[in-house]
Amino acid sequence: MDELPIGRRVAYWRGRRKMSQQVFADRLGKSKSWVDKVERGVRRLDKFSVLYEIADILQLDAQLLLGKAPERRTDGLTCIDEVEVEEIRSALERYDSMTSFFTATPEPPSLAEMAKSVSHAWLTYQYARYGVLTRALPKLLRDAQALDSTAGGDDARRAAHLLGQVYQIASSALRKLGEYELAWLAADRSMAVAQRADDPLLAGVATYRVGNALLALGRARAALEVNVSFANRIAPSGGRDATPDRLSVYGMLLLQGAMAAARMGDNNTVRDLVNGASEAADRLGGDDNRYWTSFGPTNLELHRAAAAVELGEGRQAVETHERQIMRREGFKALLPERRAHHMLDLARGFAQVGELDRAGEALVEGDRLAASEIRCRPIAHEVMSNVLRRTRGAPPAPIAELAEHMGVGI
């Protein structure tokens, strides 16, 4: 975007923030006509005070509006910045499988090297090291795409499988960090690649990534339908097909469908889907991480609590935590992202029943388990803001300190 006029950059980022010209003008204290002229280049934007005000409203570094790269952050906890978003977007918009017909594709890594990189990326995600992951994603995407476009014979399916996983990792991380449209694009790409990989379970995992992205975009019914539809297609019959892999993917599809139903306020569907997932978890026999799902009896209870929060039943979520989750050894064995995510859900539950100190304590515990899961997620910022706003007097020191680290004002 460096070559674009500044007005076009303003229009681009306004569109990314889903603001109409009128809403943007109102927040800026200008007329819609003024905004339109700036974006079309009819009116010059030459006052730095206005430029920085625009950047503040659009929630980005003013250097981006000037066509310059903002100062890159180097600490290990940073979440994602505009430069990283654009690099990931650029990698997602590559079509190596098409361009390889006309131009030479860069030398890709070997299948063994790619498999090692993908495994490391999954662990980076499940340890909630989002800053590290987002900086690695552009190269990982390009390498996986290059390998997929050049592999042939028996290697083609393996290369497609690895690319599908990279798209899923990207979708999951982008959704966590609030880049929902890119998360949907990456998940959709993963579904297409899964067909070439000839792996219905990979397609199933891609499906619930799509469902997650749709839910984040506010399309709960579509998320419910896509998860349940694919779950029905791969439902184990009870014979040889009831493998641990299939049970794990099937169970997670049902749980993601339950989350979508909860968002819609459909308590009956939530109950039916969770019960179906519970049967799959019982048949699985224990907690596992097959197909990177972390599915099992413990993760089932985490989703039961999360669904209760979505339904506005905070007390039920808290009771599920105290009676079913904290007593399980399996909870301590879960990877940090899962445990910290649950603490965020628990904080929401405590906030719903007015136990604000305990809500803040849950956020602090989640931060201890996996800081990026709390400090980087928009929903965590909303919860912390809610806790601070409703707390009488000064909040306890650990909560106030975490709020400061998160950049949430007291």
Side-chain angles (χ1 to χ4, degrees):
M1 282 195 350
D2 289 356
E3 70 278 5
L4 292 179
I6 189 170
R8 291 282 300 278
R9 294 192 195 100
V10 171
Y12 170 80
W13 287 106
R14 177 182 58 76
R16 285 285 311 279
R17 299 299 185 254
K18 299 187 180 302
M19 285 188 205
S20 66
Q21 283 189 338
Q22 186 62 64
V23 169
F24 181 54
D26 290 344
R27 294 185 183 182
L28 194 58
K30 302 286 187 180
S31 67
K32 180 181 177 182
S33 173
W34 184 92
V35 171
D36 182 66
K37 289 177 180 178
V38 166
E39 293 184 347
R40 289 190 292 113
V42 175
R43 186 185 185 100
R44 294 182 64 187
L45 190 57
D46 51 10
K47 288 186 178 181
F48 279 100
S49 59
V50 177
L51 181 71
Y52 282 107
E53 189 175 0
I54 288 174
D56 184 57
I57 291 170
L58 296 177
Q59 298 181 334
L60 52 85
D61 193 304
Q63 296 299 308
L64 281 173
L65 296 178
L66 295 170
K68 301 176 183 178
E71 182 179 347
R72 300 304 296 274
R73 300 168 300 185
T74 57
D75 60 289
L77 185 59
T78 55
C79 305
I80 192 168
D81 63 27
E82 293 86 354
V83 172
E84 289 157 359
V85 169
E86 291 311 304
E87 288 178 352
I88 294 171
R89 180 188 299 279
S90 177
L92 286 172
E93 291 175 348
R94 287 167 61 95
Y95 288 89
D96 281 0
S97 59
M98 296 296 295
T99 58
S100 62
F101 287 111
F102 309 103
T103 59
T105 302
E107 185 68 24
S110 67
L111 279 167
E113 291 171 334
M114 194 71 239
K116 184 177 180 180
S117 295
V118 171
S119 179
H120 181 266
W122 272 121
L123 287 172
T124 303
Y125 170 75
Q126 292 195 319
Y127 275 84
R129 298 180 64 195
Y130 302 140
V132 174
L133 182 58
T134 54
R135 287 189 286 278
L137 268 176
K139 183 179 186 302
L140 188 65
L141 283 161
R142 290 192 295 268
D143 285 349
Q145 290 162 340
L147 179 61
D148 178 65
S149 68
T150 57
D154 293 338
D155 290 342
R157 289 183 181 177
R158 292 179 62 196
H161 204 287
L162 290 169
L163 177 58
Q165 291 184 62
V166 174
Y167 281 139
Q168 290 186 28
I169 295 166
S171 177
S172 298
L174 289 164
R175 178 182 59 84
K176 291 273 192 182
L177 300 171
E179 295 292 335
Y180 303 136
E181 290 186 353
L182 277 183
W184 178 86
L185 173 61
D188 186 65
R189 287 287 179 85
S190 178
M191 289 189 69
V193 172
Q195 295 180 17
R196 289 194 284 105
D198 194 25
D199 184 347
L201 298 185
L202 181 68
V205 180
T207 297
Y208 81 70
R209 307 285 180 202
V210 169
N212 280 341
L214 288 171
L215 188 60
L217 287 167
R219 300 179 59 190
R221 183 166 297 281
L224 171 63
E225 291 173 354
V226 73
N227 278 295
V228 173
S229 175
F230 207 99
N232 290 335
R233 291 172 60 183
I234 67 166
S237 64
R240 292 182 179 178
D241 67 342
T243 63
D245 286 351
R246 184 177 289 266
L247 287 168
S248 296
V249 175
Y250 171 71
M252 280 304 297
L253 283 164
L254 293 183
L255 289 180
Q256 295 306 317
M259 295 304 300
R263 184 71 60 84
M264 296 162 56
D266 187 346
N267 208 328
N268 291 333
T269 299
V270 171
R271 183 180 61 252
D272 291 344
L273 292 177
V274 171
N275 287 343
S278 180
E279 292 176 7
D282 289 342
R283 293 170 71 181
L284 188 62
D287 298 304
D288 212 334
N289 196 21
R290 294 175 181 272
Y291 274 78
W292 304 96
T293 60
S294 294
F295 181 73
T298 302
N299 204 0
L300 173 85
E301 295 302 326
L302 265 60
H303 279 79
R304 195 190 301 275
V309 171
E310 290 292 340
L311 288 165
E313 299 174 356
R315 179 56 60 192
Q316 181 180 333
V318 171
E319 291 176 355
T320 299
H321 170 77
E322 294 174 344
R323 296 178 182 178
Q324 299 294 333
I325 295 173
M326 287 307 296
R327 298 179 182 181
R328 290 179 176 268
E329 286 298 319
F331 180 68
K332 297 178 182 178
L334 288 176
L335 289 165
E337 178 272 334
R338 281 283 79 211
R339 286 184 287 158
H341 186 149
H342 172 66
M343 298 312 295
L344 174 54
D345 287 330
L346 183 62
R348 296 173 64 198
F350 279 128
Q352 286 178 358
V353 297
E355 297 185 29
L356 302 179
D357 281 354
R358 297 187 72 184
E361 290 167 2
L363 290 175
V364 170
E365 175 62 12
D367 183 71
R368 185 190 67 79
L369 292 167
S372 291
E373 180 68 13
I374 303 301
R375 303 187 191 189
C376 294
R377 297 197 60 189
I379 182 63
H381 284 238
E382 292 177 15
V383 176
M384 178 60 84
S385 179
N386 180 29
V387 168
L388 296 180
R389 186 176 63 253
R390 294 168 57 195
T391 297
R392 295 183 179 180
I399 299 172
E401 183 178 351
L402 176 57
E404 183 177 356
H405 284 304
M406 295 172 69
V408 178
I410 299 178

